[in-house]
Amino acid sequence: MDNTVVISTPPHVKSKRTTRGIMGDVAIALLPAAIAGIVFFGWQALVIEIVSVLACVATEFCYYFIANGGFAKKCKNAGKVCKKWLHQFDLTSVVTGLILALILPSTAKWYEVLIGGIFAIAIVKMFFGGTGKNLVNPASAARVFMFLSFSLTTYVAAKIGPIMLESELYTGATNLSGHLLTAQSTAMHPIDLLVGTGVAGCIGETCKAAIIIGYIYLVVRKVIKWWQPVLFLGLFGFTAVLLSGFAMESYKFDMSLFLPHIMSGGVMFAAVFMFTDYVTSPKCVWGQLFYYAVGAILLALLRYFTKIEVASFVILIMNLFVPLIDRYFIRKPFGYIKEKKAKEGK
Amino acid sequence: MKAVRGKYFFGGVHPHDRKALSSASPLETMPLPEEVAISTSQSLGKPAEPIVEVGAYVKAGELIAKASGPISSDVFASLSGTVEAVREEPGANGVNETFIVIKSDGKDEKAYLPPLSSPSAEEIKARIKDAGIVGLGGAGFPTAVKVAPKTPVDTLILNGAECEPYLTCDHRLMLEKTDEIVRGAGYIAKALGVENIIIGIEGNKPDCIQKFEPYDNIKVVILKKQYPMGGEKQLIYVTTGRKVGLGKLPADSGVVVQNVATAFAVCEAVELGKPLFERVVTVSGEAVNTPKNIWVRLGTKVQSVVDFCGGEKSNPKKVVQGGPMTGLALASYDVYTHKTTSGILLMSPEEAACEEPTPCLNCGKCADVCPMKLMPMNTAFYAAAGDFDAAAKYGGTLACIECGACEYICPAKRPLIQAIRKTKAELRKKK
């Protein structure tokens, strides 16, 4: 034994899982959706994805560089700070950039994406303290910011047309505003919705099959719990079906609308990749149940009344309630005795 | 009795157990050390009072320090020779302890208590106290206190889970001393006045399960491989389905848990009159030449234990006394074994985790694996801010059993156990 032995509190063995590994898994899970986006929307989608990821990573680096004194003493420490940044780089900004790109329509201009990426990382994440400290999901906050600044509501249909013959080709509006909420036009076939062929929408949100592949990967790698998106989508679909009855001439509870509802717009993407974000969701299981349930109902309600896709807004709203949820949902320890019983016992 | 499967408990982790390193090597007796330094702090509670003078001649098994206070235990000489010194110096954990140093005369003369044949319950209780037996699982709670519960009990559970990675001392003991363990359990059961004896053994030790099945008076429960299965409250839950309330003792639920090594020590104390002055220690890890399970006298220098196992194979990154999940990291080999030293692990850089902590992601994995259903991330958060009352309130820290599962699973490698210990210490100070 020489003096290089390490002394610490137990445990002396730890799992191999790291933050970087988990974020890498999320990035891998996002890849099918990203590739599907490129196939459906062409090179514009690829440009948006690259710009978004680069903007996020570069912003994080710049912030770290400035905050850790990279410019101090005439840039004497610049090399050291760069090395330190690389050492602590945990891929969170890559995930944020990828998610942001996938929830944008392919008509977004590259400079809009650049501004959105900078906003997501600099203002939403780093200003609040960096990884793990942000109050709201950076990607959804940036999406809302871009929606308010550049509108970005023109969706184009995927390049590959519907494979089921009865489907109609939509341009300029998502399936969502087309028929589900106003009951005016004919429905798309569920298989088209699942694959995303002929569907107008955001880059990563159109191909639900790719999202489901990502979901399965995340569950297998134990990054998310399987019931989280299932609960969210189930409750959301049910509430949406319940509400959409009111849009018809006479109230009708039509469960056949369930699948079109959960496969339209960005709900499924939000449920798998955005609601499940570790940093901005509650800590304990009961809190998470509450969070997903309220989020699902709120999303269904807002979507019904606003007639547009509001997943990002709902994520923002729910994120802000998380500290409050965490305060009220505290688990009772194993073997906890209720106060009443404890008094009786004495 | 035919083995039955135990229940699951909430949470838990599955660390790589690495028991294969030492599980095949049979128990060996280490040659007498030249000198032992026996600490008087061998159990929870107050240290024992030394009763021998410097220069006195003692035999192995002779009382050298008397218990002071209810939760304290007697300490015995572990070899024959002369008392060289009674000195105070920092122990393995850095706290000052009183050591009684005995120089061996090489004869190893024994001074045992008179053996008991068909003893009564009271005699057994007295013998357990006189032999200075403590819980050999790790906590070192005096067994004499445990066998005299204030509430009626109906079940004795033997803890053969050995859920800590690396350690195989209980495994080997169960294989080689099955009969003695069962007899010892019988004595404890008699002292408690219970009929029902259960032994819980983790499923990764099928050979031990086979060994215990032929005995009719003992019920074998196969435990799922899950850490911390050997935690007292978890073991009681999976074997009997009873929950031990917060701040209560197992006896309040009618159960007493004893480690298998403790049962063996009780058997020897009753049948041979042998006080507790040696135990089985697992020496393991990738950085030691020949991993072994050895009988080690109390107060043997860790250096000589390591030397007996062939010394270092490579430079260890961490040296741990006890198990890797709850054990103590040693700064040098110049420390001495205790009654509770179950293992000495020399961990290579590949095995030992020494990563820098990164920011907490709030992923909740620590809460998912906590066997006590606590929220360690809250404790860490509030403890870092210095608000220890909030740490205990929102993290449930006071119920923590410090099993280390949360820190094991943490992807950000946060020092959660350190935060929990700090919180507990600060709250104790306040009282």
Side-chain angles (χ1 to χ4, degrees), chain B residues 159-393:
Chain B
N159 186 352
E162 199 163 55
C163 55
E164 280 260 15
Y166 292 90
L167 299 188
T168 52
C169 49
D170 289 354
H171 181 176
R172 290 312 303 183
L173 202 67
M174 282 193 281
L175 270 186
E176 296 176 26
K177 309 281 180 188
T178 320
D179 221 38
E180 284 88 340
I181 290 171
V182 173
R183 290 209 300 273
Y187 294 129
I188 301 172
K190 193 167 182 192
L192 287 167
V194 302
E195 301 262 295
N196 203 355
I197 307 173
I198 301 174
I199 183 165
I201 303 172
E202 258 190 20
N204 59 354
K205 296 184 267 288
D207 41 355
C208 294
I209 294 165
Q210 245 174 27
K211 275 267 189 178
F212 278 96
E213 269 183 337
Y215 295 94
D216 276 334
N217 58 341
I218 196 159
K219 183 180 158 196
V220 185
V221 178
I222 306 170
L223 309 172
K224 195 188 153 214
K225 201 182 151 302
Q226 187 182 11
Y227 179 87
M229 191 50 96
E232 204 167 46
K233 290 179 176 183
Q234 281 67 37
L235 187 69
I236 292 170
Y237 180 69
V238 295
T239 50
T240 64
R242 294 180 205 177
K243 285 184 187 174
V244 179
L246 282 185
K248 304 255 169 166
L249 293 171
D252 293 324
S253 303
V255 185
V256 167
V257 180
Q258 295 290 357
N259 193 281
V260 283
T262 316
F264 177 74
V266 168
C267 177
E268 285 205 317
V270 171
E271 292 179 359
L272 305 174
K274 181 184 167 187
L276 184 61
F277 63 78
E278 62 178 343
R279 69 157 296 148
V280 185
V281 175
T282 300
V283 184
S284 186
E286 295 286 355
V288 70
N289 264 322
T290 43
K292 280 178 184 174
N293 300 294
I294 44 179
W295 284 105
V296 174
R297 297 286 170 99
L298 199 62
T300 308
K301 211 176 206 176
V302 170
Q303 177 75 58
S304 48
V305 176
V306 173
D307 287 344
F308 178 67
C309 295
E312 293 174 358
K313 198 198 297 179
S314 57
N315 222 344
K317 185 86 182 167
K318 253 182 187 178
V319 178
V320 177
Q321 180 179 323
M325 295 297 276
T326 56
L328 187 71
L330 297 180
S332 80
Y333 290 135
D334 293 335
V335 293
Y336 305 95
T337 59
H338 273 54
K339 284 179 184 175
T340 51
T341 305
S342 46
I344 290 164
L345 310 175
L346 277 66
M347 298 166 86
S348 66
E350 290 78 46
E351 300 167 273
C354 309
E355 280 148 285
E356 291 268 311
T358 55
C360 173
L361 274 184
N362 198 10
C363 64
K365 283 190 194 299
C366 49
D368 289 343
V369 300
C370 180
M372 294 303 289
K373 299 193 185 179
L374 309 177
M375 300 182 73
M377 75 292 253
N378 282 350
T379 305
F381 177 79
Y382 287 108
D387 189 350
F388 298 104
D389 288 322
K393 185 181 170 194

Side-chain angles (χ1 to χ4, degrees), chain A:
Chain A
M1 183 196 270
D2 55 18
N3 52 11
T4 59
V5 288
V6 176
I7 301 169
S8 71
T9 45
H12 306 293
V13 287
K14 285 182 188 177
S15 65
K16 297 269 177 268
R17 219 74 207 284
T18 57
T19 306
R20 199 181 294 183
I22 288 178
M23 288 302 152
D25 273 344
V26 177
I28 291 170
L30 284 163
L31 279 184
I35 292 166
I38 296 168
V39 171
F40 285 165
F41 300 101
W43 61 271
Q44 288 106 321
L46 183 66
V47 170
I48 290 173
E49 282 166 15
I50 291 173
V51 170
S52 177
V53 171
L54 285 183
C56 286
V57 176
T59 312
E60 197 196 57
F61 171 73
C62 290
Y63 189 94
Y64 188 90
F65 191 75
I66 298 166
N68 286 275
F71 288 122
K73 294 180 195 161
K74 291 179 185 162
C75 299
K76 225 178 169 182
N77 297 329
K80 226 190 231 169
V81 175
C82 289
K83 231 183 226 172
K84 246 172 86 188
W85 177 79
L86 214 61
H87 182 71
Q88 63 87 51
F89 180 60
D90 52 15
L91 294 175
T92 42
S93 48
V94 173
V95 169
T96 302
L98 214 49
I99 291 181
L100 177 62
L102 297 183
I103 56 174
L104 290 174
S106 60
T107 50
K109 306 278 183 307
W110 67 269
Y111 58 86
E112 293 170 345
V113 180
L114 183 72
I115 294 170
I118 293 170
F119 179 86
I121 295 298
I123 294 177
V124 185
K125 192 174 126 191
M126 299 314 279
F127 282 7
F128 284 88
T131 306
K133 305 281 196 322
N134 47 302
L135 283 179
V136 294
N137 190 323
S140 57
R143 179 69 180 90
V144 169
F145 165 78
M146 291 170 80
F147 171 74
L148 297 175
S149 310
F150 316 120
S151 179
L152 291 181
T153 46
T154 331
Y155 300 101
V156 293
K159 282 189 171 162
I160 302 166
I163 43 176
M164 303 308 288
L165 287 176
E166 64 261 46
S167 297
E168 274 180 33
L169 190 69
Y170 290 95
T171 43
T174 58
N175 183 48
L176 191 63
S177 45
H179 101 97
L180 270 179
L181 304 169
T182 46
Q184 277 166 355
S185 44
T186 45
M188 288 198 88
H189 196 277
I191 291 179
D192 272 330
L193 280 176
L194 180 69
V195 186
T197 42
V199 179
C202 298
I203 295 169
E205 290 173 351
T206 37
C207 184
K208 311 300 181 215
I211 297 171
I212 292 170
I213 293 171
Y215 163 74
I216 292 169
Y217 181 77
L218 288 181
V219 170
V220 169
R221 297 286 296 158
K222 290 188 181 157
V223 176
I224 62 173
K225 294 171 190 139
W226 68 268
W227 55 263
Q228 292 171 335
V230 172
L231 169 77
F232 182 86
L233 287 174
L235 202 58
F236 165 79
F238 184 77
T239 320
V241 168
L242 207 69
L243 286 169
S244 59
F246 290 110
M248 295 169 197
E249 279 164 24
S250 60
Y251 185 82
K252 203 169 85 193
F253 186 77
D254 187 2
M255 269 316 261
S256 68
L257 289 177
F258 184 83
L259 280 181
H261 262 300
I262 63 168
M263 290 200 295
S264 301
V267 181
M268 195 177 273
F269 188 86
V272 174
F273 294 111
M274 291 163 82
F275 263 96
T276 53
D277 173 30
Y278 283 154
V279 181
T280 53
S281 58
K283 291 168 184 156
C284 81
V285 174
W286 295 111
Q288 285 168 3
L289 275 172
F290 180 81
Y291 173 79
Y292 286 105
V294 174
I297 294 169
L298 189 66
L299 179 55
L301 277 169
L302 281 183
R303 197 152 117 167
Y304 176 74
F305 287 111
T306 59
K307 316 280 187 222
I308 53 165
E309 183 53 279
V310 286
S312 291
F313 285 93
V314 172
I315 290 167
L316 279 192
I317 295 167
M318 289 312 294
N319 283 171
L320 294 174
F321 277 105
V322 165
L324 201 62
I325 295 173
D326 273 340
R327 223 153 222 246
Y328 281 94
F329 288 87
I330 301 168
R331 299 197 301 178
K332 298 279 175 281
F334 180 75
Y336 174 79
I337 308 157
K338 275 188 188 158
E339 272 174 34
K340 222 177 167 185
K341 257 192 185 169
K343 269 179 197 164
E344 279 169 14
K346 279 172 190 171

Side-chain angles (χ1 to χ4, degrees), chain B residues 118-122 124-125 156 185-194:
Chain B
S118 59
S120 69
E122 288 310 313
I124 297 170
K125 277 186 199 175
L156 168 70
Y187 294 129
I188 301 172
K190 193 167 182 192
L192 287 167
V194 302

